[in-house]
């Protein structure tokens, strides 16, 4: 049975969007159909003003699309179908912004291939165990920067000592993915570990190479490559002698997935997680939680 929009404001928005699509000479009714489904879904959840839609609500709808049954062929919706829904909503929002109905848009996820193998990550208890098996300030600093600050491998390699501001408790990523600059707050524990490494361990390793800018340095006082930092992490993991940890494929990037999941579990805001990790698109952060089978509660 075909459902109809009940909210007059939504009916008007849909009519305007229908005209917007027709002016673009786009064939078929997919774009209109998808937006109609989205608006009906909003009505069902008691949201009758488009300005009430937030990024979190959009993510709940995204989750709904991922889990929604395919009544024709069985299973869930195909990736291309989900992408079509999101594209339709993006065009709908574009029209709302153009006409001035909305001044600021909510984030719309980008959908990837959900059949990809999820990257392994560590639980909070496993992270604690790994920390317990560090043997020097360098190893603690690697965990604190990779997990506690969520840096990518390349960002850890390129990090300079001047980027770690001990006085303000801020770590600066000057050129992240897409050349994006971001500031990462350090917790008290992370700050303590980093400070210990910088003021004592790193200083001793430098010897007569005090001009070295790199944050992570090897025994010769040179910048440590991302590959070498990863090997240092492997040493700690092996030292735990934990079957559950050793059965996983844990890399430096896994530490980012770990902190993303743990922030989610502690109800951190989606936008905070996105900015913290330096993601351009919201679904990159949210998909960690989806693959971990974490679910938002109904609105």
């Amino acid at each position: 049975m075909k459902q109809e929009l009940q909210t007059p404001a939504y009916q008007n928005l849909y009519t305007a969007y229908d005209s917007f699509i027709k002016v673009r000479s786009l064939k078929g009714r997919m774009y209109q159909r998808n937006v109609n489904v989205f608006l009906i879904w909003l009505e069902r959840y008691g949201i009758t003003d488009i300005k009430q839609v937030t990024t979190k609500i959009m993510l709940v709808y995204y989750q709904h699309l991922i889990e929604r049954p395919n009544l024709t062929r069985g299973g869930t919706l195909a990736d291309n179908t989900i992408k079509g829904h999101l594209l339709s909503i993006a065009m709908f929002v574009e029209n709302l912004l153009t006409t001035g109905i909305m001044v600021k848009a909510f984030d719309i996820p980008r959908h990837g291939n959900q059949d990809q193998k999820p990257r392994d990550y560590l639980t909070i208890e496993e992270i604690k165990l790994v920390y317990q098996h560090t043997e020097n300030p360098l190893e603690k600093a690697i965990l604190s920067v990779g997990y506690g600050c969520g840096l990518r491998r390349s960002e850890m390699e390129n990090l300079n000592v001047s980027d770690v501001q001990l006085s303000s408790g801020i770590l600066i990523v000057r050129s992240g993915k897409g050349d994006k600059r971001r500031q990462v707050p350090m917790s008290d524990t992370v700050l303590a570990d980093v400070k210990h490494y910088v003021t004592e361990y790193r200083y001793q390793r430098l010897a007569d190479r005090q001009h070295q800018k790199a944050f992570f340095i090897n025994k010769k006082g040179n910048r440590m490559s991302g590959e070498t930092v990863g090997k240092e992490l492997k040493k700690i993991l092996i030292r735990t002698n934990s079957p559950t940890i050793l059965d996983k494929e844990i890399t430096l990037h896994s530490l980012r997935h770990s902190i993303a999941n743990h922030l989610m579990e502690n109800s951190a805001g989606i936008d905070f997680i996105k900015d913290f990790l330096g993601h351009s698109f919201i679904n990159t952060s949210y998909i960690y939680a989806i693959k971990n089978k974490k679910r938002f509660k109904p609105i």
Side-chain angles (χ1 to χ4, degrees), residues 217-230:
I217 57 173
N218 58 28
K219 292 179 180 179
K220 295 182 179 180
N222 298 320
R223 184 180 295 275
M224 191 178 287
S225 68
E227 182 181 0
T228 302
V229 177

Side-chain angles (χ1 to χ4, degrees), residues 93-116:
V93 171
E94 177 189 344
N95 186 47
L96 295 176
L97 292 170
T98 301
T99 56
I101 294 174
M102 288 180 63
V103 177
K104 183 180 179 182
F106 47 86
D107 280 338
I108 298 173
R110 280 179 34 169
H111 184 71
N113 184 359
Q114 301 304 304
D115 293 330
Q116 291 177 337

Side-chain angles (χ1 to χ4, degrees), residues 30-95:
M30 178 193 78
Y31 302 103
Q32 294 95 322
R33 218 171 29 244
N34 290 340
V35 166
N36 186 66
V37 169
F38 175 57
L39 293 176
I40 289 173
W41 183 88
L42 290 176
E43 286 182 333
R44 189 181 307 132
Y45 278 86
I47 302 169
T48 55
D49 183 346
I50 197 65
K51 295 178 183 178
Q52 294 176 334
V53 180
T54 63
T55 296
K56 182 176 181 179
I57 291 170
M58 184 63 219
L59 289 172
V60 177
Y61 183 67
Y62 175 47
Q63 178 184 320
H64 163 74
L65 290 176
I66 291 174
E67 298 176 340
R68 180 177 150 187
N70 185 324
L71 300 178
T72 305
R73 294 178 297 179
T76 54
L77 298 182
D79 286 332
N80 286 338
T81 301
I82 295 174
K83 289 177 182 178
H85 276 270
L86 298 176
L87 174 60
S88 302
I89 296 171
M91 295 177 67
F92 177 58
V93 171
E94 177 189 344
N95 186 47

Side-chain angles (χ1 to χ4, degrees), residues 226-277:
E227 182 181 0
T228 302
V229 177
K231 289 179 179 179
E232 292 291 331
L233 173 63
K234 287 294 184 184
K235 291 179 184 177
I236 313 172
L237 297 174
I238 292 172
R239 211 177 290 142
T240 65
N241 200 30
S242 167
T244 57
I245 291 177
L246 297 179
D247 282 347
K248 299 178 181 181
E249 296 181 16
I250 299 298
T251 64
L252 290 173
H253 205 80
S254 302
L255 298 180
R256 275 170 61 82
H257 283 250
S258 301
I259 190 63
N261 275 292
H262 300 163
L263 287 171
M264 273 283 187
E265 290 166 5
N266 284 282
S267 302
I270 294 294
D271 289 322
F272 171 80
I273 298 174
K274 184 182 74 167
D275 294 339
F276 181 83
L277 296 176

Side-chain angles (χ1 to χ4, degrees), residues 130-281:
V130 174
Y131 264 101
Q132 289 170 9
H133 283 82
T134 55
E135 292 185 345
N136 55 59
L138 169 62
E139 292 180 348
K140 281 193 175 180
I142 288 173
L143 290 179
S144 291
V145 173
Y147 170 77
C149 297
L151 265 64
R152 299 178 175 90
R153 173 175 138 164
S154 60
E155 294 170 349
M156 295 178 72
E157 179 178 343
N158 296 326
L159 189 67
N160 290 329
V161 68
S162 60
D163 298 331
V164 183
Q165 302 182 355
L166 300 178
S167 58
S168 61
I170 295 294
L171 184 150
I172 300 174
V173 179
R174 299 193 181 276
S175 184
K177 192 173 182 179
D179 291 326
K180 289 181 62 178
R181 183 184 187 276
R182 73 181 187 277
Q183 294 185 352
V184 182
M186 292 184 284
S187 69
D188 291 342
T189 302
V190 168
L191 183 58
D193 289 341
V194 166
K195 185 175 182 180
H196 188 198
Y197 165 73
V198 170
T199 58
E200 296 183 30
Y201 195 84
R202 179 182 178 278
Y203 180 78
Q204 294 171 2
R205 270 198 167 187
L206 280 174
D208 59 347
R209 301 180 63 114
Q210 300 298 323
H211 64 280
Q212 178 59 259
K213 296 179 180 180
F215 181 80
F216 290 112
I217 57 173
N218 58 28
K219 292 179 180 179
K220 295 182 179 180
N222 298 320
R223 184 180 295 275
M224 191 178 287
S225 68
E227 182 181 0
T228 302
V229 177
K231 289 179 179 179
E232 292 291 331
L233 173 63
K234 287 294 184 184
K235 291 179 184 177
I236 313 172
L237 297 174
I238 292 172
R239 211 177 290 142
T240 65
N241 200 30
S242 167
T244 57
I245 291 177
L246 297 179
D247 282 347
K248 299 178 181 181
E249 296 181 16
I250 299 298
T251 64
L252 290 173
H253 205 80
S254 302
L255 298 180
R256 275 170 61 82
H257 283 250
S258 301
I259 190 63
N261 275 292
H262 300 163
L263 287 171
M264 273 283 187
E265 290 166 5
N266 284 282
S267 302
I270 294 294
D271 289 322
F272 171 80
I273 298 174
K274 184 182 74 167
D275 294 339
F276 181 83
L277 296 176
H279 284 151
S280 299
F281 298 96

